[in-house]
């Protein structure tokens, strides 16, 4: 049973090595093993100076995470959004998304969504751009959320991933 969830965020250099291990292990368990996509998750972007890791813990266990990266022209990229299989359906990814967007409301965000999640991301104000494409055998769609200063986004009933 999950207890009180705590949202954390920090650049990689400030993360305890054990937590960092659990972040990478969760991402690999879902993206590489569960989704059967053989790729190098540790792509070098996690350690960029402006990269920020966001995660939710249940006691000392990482149960959901994502990362935020800087892109050109001041745009921020949300990626690697993942929830452990034992914690799905509790709105943890939605809590992380809402926290990230509320933390930097004046910024434009982009992401690459798995096609079946575009409606979920639309609930956070993201709009699909261009044509769908296949990445690692999974249909994806580029999405963008314009800067919305002071929108005070908070997760609602629609944010249940």
């Amino acid at each position: 049973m999950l207890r009180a969830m705590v949202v954390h965020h920090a650049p990689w250099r400030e993360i305890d090595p054990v937590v960092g291990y659990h972040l990478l292990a969760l991402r690999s368990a879902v993206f590489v093993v569960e989704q059967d996509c053989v790729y190098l998750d540790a792509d070098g972007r996690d350690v960029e100076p402006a990269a920020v890791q966001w995660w939710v813990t249940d006691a000392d266990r990482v149960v959901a995470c994502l990362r935020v990266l800087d892109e050109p022209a001041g745009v921020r990229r949300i990626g690697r959004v993942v929830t452990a299989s034992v914690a799905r359906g509790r709105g943890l990814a939605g809590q992380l998304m809402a926290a990230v967007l509320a933390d930097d409301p004046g910024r434009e965000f982009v992401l690459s969504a798995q096609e079946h999640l575009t409606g979920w991301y639309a609930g956070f104000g993201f709009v699909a751009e261009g044509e769908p494409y296949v990445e690692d055998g999974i249909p994806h769609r580029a999405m963008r959320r314009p800067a919305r200063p002071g929108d005070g986004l908070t997760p609602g009933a629609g944010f249940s991933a």
Side-chain angles (χ1 to χ4, degrees):
M1 175 113 193
L2 294 175
R3 294 168 290 278
M5 301 297 137
V6 179
V7 174
H8 308 269
H9 67 285
W12 198 266
R13 68 186 169 280
E14 295 176 14
I15 296 174
D16 178 276
V18 174
V19 172
Y21 170 84
H22 288 288
L23 293 170
L24 291 175
L26 173 57
R27 289 173 13 188
S28 291
V30 174
F31 297 131
V32 178
V33 177
E34 183 180 316
Q35 295 182 355
D36 195 24
C37 297
V38 179
Y39 74 102
L40 182 60
D41 179 56
D43 60 2
R45 300 231 40 207
D46 292 299
V47 297
E48 292 176 358
V52 179
Q53 307 298 315
W54 289 76
W55 68 98
V56 176
T57 57
D58 169 25
D60 291 330
R61 182 176 173 189
V62 174
V63 291
C65 63
L66 61 76
R67 71 179 183 186
V68 180
L69 308 170
D70 269 355
E71 294 289 312
V75 175
R76 302 284 282 161
R77 174 171 296 281
I78 296 173
R80 305 294 206 264
V81 181
V82 63
T83 302
S85 60
V86 299
R88 291 184 189 146
R90 300 175 191 260
L92 302 179
Q95 289 177 12
L96 285 172
M97 289 291 296
V100 166
L101 297 171
D103 187 60
D104 203 356
R107 195 69 75 95
E108 180 176 17
F109 285 88
V110 296
L111 54 80
S112 296
Q114 290 186 7
E115 184 74 21
H116 71 280
L117 292 172
T118 55
W120 184 76
Y121 286 113
F124 293 97
F126 283 86
V127 177
E129 295 185 324
E131 295 299 315
Y133 60 94
V134 176
E135 183 177 323
D136 296 317
I138 299 172
H140 281 71
R141 193 76 178 260
M143 298 188 81
R144 180 175 306 274
R145 181 181 187 269
R148 295 159 56 168
D151 77 358
L153 181 68
T154 56
F159 306 129
S160 62

